[in-house]
């Protein structure tokens, strides 16, 4: 098993002396340390001078930790390679430490796929974002030009504008999901008032609700209620839940967005009769 497995396996005794390394581990050490194809021993010694490697090994070898798991990047022949390194103390049945095992799992391909997905989503969202933002701007100008007497046309323009905003929100959601999967979603919490946020969401979805003759209301038990959240992400979450409630509620039903203070903080919810 140790010789056949694709992961690198290294075994050391309780003093840190090398006892065993399978071929993937040897090749990995030579690639990273760059000491020549057959110079594993020199490569292994050179690897001990690499800070990320020793940051993973050091606490376990010294007995400070039972085990550790680290993921870091190594430049190999001008190309970035990534490895997930697991270090674990090895004990006898009676609990005596007899050595340390290191497992080196190459995750370069996973990282490259993540990068391709991120680039793909970034390209798509950028290409969609620009025309949608322009459409929203043009519809906003058109809304200002519609005569007040033409209520039907005003309603249609506003509805088109809200639909374009929802499409833009969907694009942002896709981008956020891509960032989340890549571990790069930045959350920036700031203090905001709850009531204006709920009121804005209800206003943005008003025409969608009107199309199904659904009564959409928002209610906050305290107009001065504040929360510490990322405004864009929180707004998107509540808007998605409310949009689903409208979608799955029968005609002439009702949907309510509410917020109230609870002992643990603030509760924001969406209710419906669908």
């Amino acid at each position: 098993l140790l010789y056949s497995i694709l992961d690198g396996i290294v075994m050391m005794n309780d003093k840190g002396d090398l006892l065993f390394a399978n071929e993937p581990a040897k090749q990995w050490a030579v690639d990273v340390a760059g000491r020549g194809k057959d110079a594993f021993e020199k490569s292994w010694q050179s690897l001990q001078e690499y800070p990320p490697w020793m940051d993973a090994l050091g606490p376990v070898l010294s007995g400070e930790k039972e085990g550790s798991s680290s993921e870091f990047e190594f430049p190999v022949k001008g190309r970035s390679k990534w490895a997930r390194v697991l270090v674990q103390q090895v004990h006898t049945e009676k609990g005596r430490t007899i050595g340390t095992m290191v497992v080196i799992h190459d995750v370069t391909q996973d990282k490259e796929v993540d990068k391709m997905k991120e680039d793909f989503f970034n390209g798509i969202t950028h290409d969609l974002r620009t025309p949608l933002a322009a459409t929203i701007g043009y519809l906003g100008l058109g809304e200002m030009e519609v005569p007040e007497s033409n209520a039907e046309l005003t309603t249609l323009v506003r509805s088109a504008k809200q639909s374009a905003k929802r499409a833009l929100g969907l694009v942002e959601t896709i981008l956020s999901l891509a960032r989340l999967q890549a571990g790069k979603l930045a959350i920036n919490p700031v203090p905001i008032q709850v009531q204006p946020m709920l009121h804005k969401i209800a206003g943005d979805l008003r025409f969608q609700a009107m199309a199904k003759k659904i009564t959409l209301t928002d209610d906050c038990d305290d107009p001065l209620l504040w929360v510490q959240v990322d405004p864009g992400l929180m707004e998107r979450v509540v808007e998605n839940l409310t949009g689903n409630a409208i979608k799955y509620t029968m005609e002439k039903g009702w949907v309510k967005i509410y917020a109230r203070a609870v002992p643990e903080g603030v509760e924001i919810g969406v209710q419906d009769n669908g």
Side-chain angles (χ1 to χ4, degrees), residues 111-127 174-175 178-179 181-182 184:
K111 292 290 181 182
E112 289 175 345
V113 169
D114 285 342
K115 181 67 169 59
M116 287 170 62
K117 282 163 60 178
E118 186 181 358
D119 291 344
F120 173 73
F121 281 119
N122 282 338
I124 281 185
T125 49
H126 180 268
D127 290 344
I174 293 170
L175 183 58
R179 286 175 179 158
Q181 289 177 338
K184 295 181 180 179

Short mmCIF file of all heavy atoms in Angstrom, two decimals, residues 111-127 174-175 178-179 181-182 184:
data_model
loop_
_atom_site.label_atom_id
_atom_site.label_comp_id
_atom_site.label_asym_id
_atom_site.label_seq_id
_atom_site.Cartn_x
_atom_site.Cartn_y
_atom_site.Cartn_z
N LYS A 111 -6.39 23.20 -7.69
CA LYS A 111 -6.18 24.65 -7.68
C LYS A 111 -6.31 25.24 -9.07
O LYS A 111 -6.87 26.33 -9.26
CB LYS A 111 -4.79 24.98 -7.11
CG LYS A 111 -4.63 24.68 -5.64
CD LYS A 111 -5.45 25.64 -4.80
CE LYS A 111 -5.29 25.37 -3.32
NZ LYS A 111 -6.12 26.29 -2.49
N GLU A 112 -5.78 24.53 -10.07
CA GLU A 112 -5.86 25.02 -11.45
C GLU A 112 -7.31 25.04 -11.94
O GLU A 112 -7.73 25.97 -12.64
CB GLU A 112 -4.99 24.15 -12.36
CG GLU A 112 -3.49 24.38 -12.13
CD GLU A 112 -2.63 23.43 -12.94
OE1 GLU A 112 -3.16 22.42 -13.46
OE2 GLU A 112 -1.41 23.69 -13.05
N VAL A 113 -8.08 24.00 -11.56
CA VAL A 113 -9.50 23.96 -11.95
C VAL A 113 -10.25 25.10 -11.28
O VAL A 113 -11.08 25.77 -11.91
CB VAL A 113 -10.13 22.60 -11.58
CG1 VAL A 113 -11.64 22.64 -11.74
CG2 VAL A 113 -9.55 21.50 -12.47
N ASP A 114 -9.96 25.35 -9.98
CA ASP A 114 -10.59 26.46 -9.27
C ASP A 114 -10.29 27.79 -9.95
O ASP A 114 -11.15 28.65 -10.07
CB ASP A 114 -10.12 26.50 -7.81
CG ASP A 114 -10.75 25.41 -6.97
OD1 ASP A 114 -11.77 24.85 -7.40
OD2 ASP A 114 -10.21 25.12 -5.88
N LYS A 115 -9.03 27.94 -10.39
CA LYS A 115 -8.62 29.18 -11.04
C LYS A 115 -9.35 29.35 -12.38
O LYS A 115 -9.81 30.45 -12.73
CB LYS A 115 -7.10 29.16 -11.28
CG LYS A 115 -6.52 30.41 -11.94
CD LYS A 115 -6.63 31.61 -11.02
CE LYS A 115 -5.82 32.80 -11.52
NZ LYS A 115 -6.20 33.28 -12.83
N MET A 116 -9.49 28.24 -13.13
CA MET A 116 -10.21 28.29 -14.40
C MET A 116 -11.68 28.66 -14.18
O MET A 116 -12.25 29.47 -14.92
CB MET A 116 -10.12 26.93 -15.11
CG MET A 116 -8.74 26.63 -15.70
SD MET A 116 -8.60 24.92 -16.25
CE MET A 116 -9.87 24.85 -17.51
N LYS A 117 -12.29 28.07 -13.15
CA LYS A 117 -13.69 28.38 -12.85
C LYS A 117 -13.84 29.85 -12.45
O LYS A 117 -14.77 30.53 -12.88
CB LYS A 117 -14.18 27.48 -11.71
CG LYS A 117 -14.52 26.07 -12.15
CD LYS A 117 -14.60 25.10 -10.99
CE LYS A 117 -15.63 25.45 -9.97
NZ LYS A 117 -15.69 24.46 -8.87
N GLU A 118 -12.90 30.32 -11.64
CA GLU A 118 -12.97 31.72 -11.20
C GLU A 118 -12.83 32.67 -12.39
O GLU A 118 -13.58 33.64 -12.52
CB GLU A 118 -11.86 32.00 -10.17
CG GLU A 118 -11.97 33.38 -9.56
CD GLU A 118 -10.85 33.66 -8.57
OE1 GLU A 118 -10.02 32.77 -8.33
OE2 GLU A 118 -10.79 34.79 -8.08
N ASP A 119 -11.87 32.38 -13.28
CA ASP A 119 -11.68 33.22 -14.47
C ASP A 119 -12.91 33.18 -15.36
O ASP A 119 -13.32 34.20 -15.93
CB ASP A 119 -10.45 32.75 -15.25
CG ASP A 119 -9.15 33.02 -14.51
OD1 ASP A 119 -9.18 33.83 -13.57
OD2 ASP A 119 -8.12 32.44 -14.88
N PHE A 120 -13.51 31.98 -15.48
CA PHE A 120 -14.70 31.82 -16.32
C PHE A 120 -15.86 32.66 -15.77
O PHE A 120 -16.49 33.42 -16.50
CB PHE A 120 -15.08 30.34 -16.36
CG PHE A 120 -16.39 30.06 -17.06
CD1 PHE A 120 -16.48 30.15 -18.44
CD2 PHE A 120 -17.51 29.70 -16.34
CE1 PHE A 120 -17.69 29.88 -19.09
CE2 PHE A 120 -18.72 29.43 -16.97
CZ PHE A 120 -18.80 29.53 -18.35
N PHE A 121 -16.12 32.52 -14.46
CA PHE A 121 -17.21 33.28 -13.86
C PHE A 121 -16.94 34.78 -13.88
O PHE A 121 -17.85 35.57 -14.09
CB PHE A 121 -17.46 32.81 -12.42
CG PHE A 121 -18.24 31.53 -12.33
CD1 PHE A 121 -17.70 30.39 -11.75
CD2 PHE A 121 -19.53 31.46 -12.84
CE1 PHE A 121 -18.42 29.22 -11.68
CE2 PHE A 121 -20.27 30.29 -12.76
CZ PHE A 121 -19.72 29.17 -12.18
N ASN A 122 -15.68 35.16 -13.65
CA ASN A 122 -15.35 36.58 -13.69
C ASN A 122 -15.61 37.16 -15.07
O ASN A 122 -16.13 38.27 -15.21
CB ASN A 122 -13.88 36.80 -13.31
CG ASN A 122 -13.66 36.72 -11.81
OD1 ASN A 122 -14.59 36.89 -11.04
ND2 ASN A 122 -12.44 36.45 -11.41
N GLY A 123 -15.24 36.39 -16.12
CA GLY A 123 -15.46 36.85 -17.49
C GLY A 123 -16.93 36.98 -17.81
O GLY A 123 -17.37 37.99 -18.37
N ILE A 124 -17.70 35.95 -17.45
CA ILE A 124 -19.14 35.97 -17.74
C ILE A 124 -19.83 37.11 -17.00
O ILE A 124 -20.61 37.87 -17.58
CB ILE A 124 -19.78 34.63 -17.34
CG1 ILE A 124 -19.50 33.59 -18.40
CG2 ILE A 124 -21.28 34.77 -17.16
CD1 ILE A 124 -20.18 32.28 -18.18
N THR A 125 -19.53 37.23 -15.69
CA THR A 125 -20.22 38.26 -14.91
C THR A 125 -19.85 39.66 -15.39
O THR A 125 -20.69 40.55 -15.41
CB THR A 125 -19.89 38.12 -13.41
OG1 THR A 125 -18.48 38.01 -13.24
CG2 THR A 125 -20.56 36.89 -12.83
N HIS A 126 -18.59 39.83 -15.80
CA HIS A 126 -18.18 41.15 -16.31
C HIS A 126 -18.92 41.46 -17.61
O HIS A 126 -19.43 42.58 -17.81
CB HIS A 126 -16.67 41.19 -16.53
CG HIS A 126 -16.19 42.51 -17.06
ND1 HIS A 126 -16.06 42.78 -18.41
CD2 HIS A 126 -15.83 43.64 -16.41
CE1 HIS A 126 -15.65 44.02 -18.57
NE2 HIS A 126 -15.48 44.56 -17.38
N ASP A 127 -19.02 40.46 -18.48
CA ASP A 127 -19.69 40.67 -19.78
C ASP A 127 -21.19 40.94 -19.60
O ASP A 127 -21.80 41.66 -20.39
CB ASP A 127 -19.49 39.45 -20.69
CG ASP A 127 -18.04 39.34 -21.16
OD1 ASP A 127 -17.32 40.34 -21.04
OD2 ASP A 127 -17.65 38.26 -21.63
N ILE A 174 -24.07 34.62 -8.68
CA ILE A 174 -23.20 33.62 -9.34
C ILE A 174 -21.74 33.91 -9.04
O ILE A 174 -20.95 33.01 -8.74
CB ILE A 174 -23.46 33.60 -10.86
CG1 ILE A 174 -24.87 33.08 -11.17
CG2 ILE A 174 -22.43 32.75 -11.59
CD1 ILE A 174 -25.29 33.26 -12.61
N LEU A 175 -21.38 35.19 -9.12
CA LEU A 175 -19.99 35.58 -8.84
C LEU A 175 -19.63 35.29 -7.39
O LEU A 175 -18.54 34.79 -7.09
CB LEU A 175 -19.80 37.06 -9.16
CG LEU A 175 -18.39 37.63 -8.99
CD1 LEU A 175 -17.40 36.88 -9.87
CD2 LEU A 175 -18.36 39.11 -9.32
N ALA A 178 -18.99 31.59 -6.92
CA ALA A 178 -17.68 31.21 -7.45
C ALA A 178 -16.58 31.60 -6.47
O ALA A 178 -15.65 30.84 -6.22
CB ALA A 178 -17.44 31.89 -8.81
N ARG A 179 -16.70 32.79 -5.89
CA ARG A 179 -15.71 33.25 -4.92
C ARG A 179 -15.76 32.39 -3.65
O ARG A 179 -14.73 32.09 -3.05
CB ARG A 179 -15.97 34.71 -4.56
CG ARG A 179 -15.56 35.68 -5.66
CD ARG A 179 -15.96 37.09 -5.31
NE ARG A 179 -15.55 38.04 -6.33
CZ ARG A 179 -16.11 39.23 -6.51
NH1 ARG A 179 -17.12 39.60 -5.73
NH2 ARG A 179 -15.67 40.03 -7.44
N GLN A 181 -16.70 29.21 -3.39
CA GLN A 181 -16.11 27.90 -3.67
C GLN A 181 -14.60 27.98 -3.73
O GLN A 181 -13.90 27.02 -3.39
CB GLN A 181 -16.67 27.33 -4.97
CG GLN A 181 -18.13 26.89 -4.85
CD GLN A 181 -18.70 26.40 -6.17
OE1 GLN A 181 -18.20 26.74 -7.23
NE2 GLN A 181 -19.76 25.63 -6.10
N ALA A 182 -14.08 29.12 -4.18
CA ALA A 182 -12.62 29.30 -4.27
C ALA A 182 -12.04 29.79 -2.96
O ALA A 182 -10.83 30.00 -2.85
CB ALA A 182 -12.29 30.28 -5.40
N LYS A 184 -12.56 32.71 -1.62
CA LYS A 184 -12.15 34.11 -1.78
C LYS A 184 -13.30 35.08 -1.60
O LYS A 184 -13.21 36.23 -2.01
CB LYS A 184 -11.53 34.31 -3.17
CG LYS A 184 -10.23 33.54 -3.37
CD LYS A 184 -9.65 33.79 -4.74
CE LYS A 184 -8.35 33.01 -4.93
NZ LYS A 184 -7.79 33.21 -6.28
#
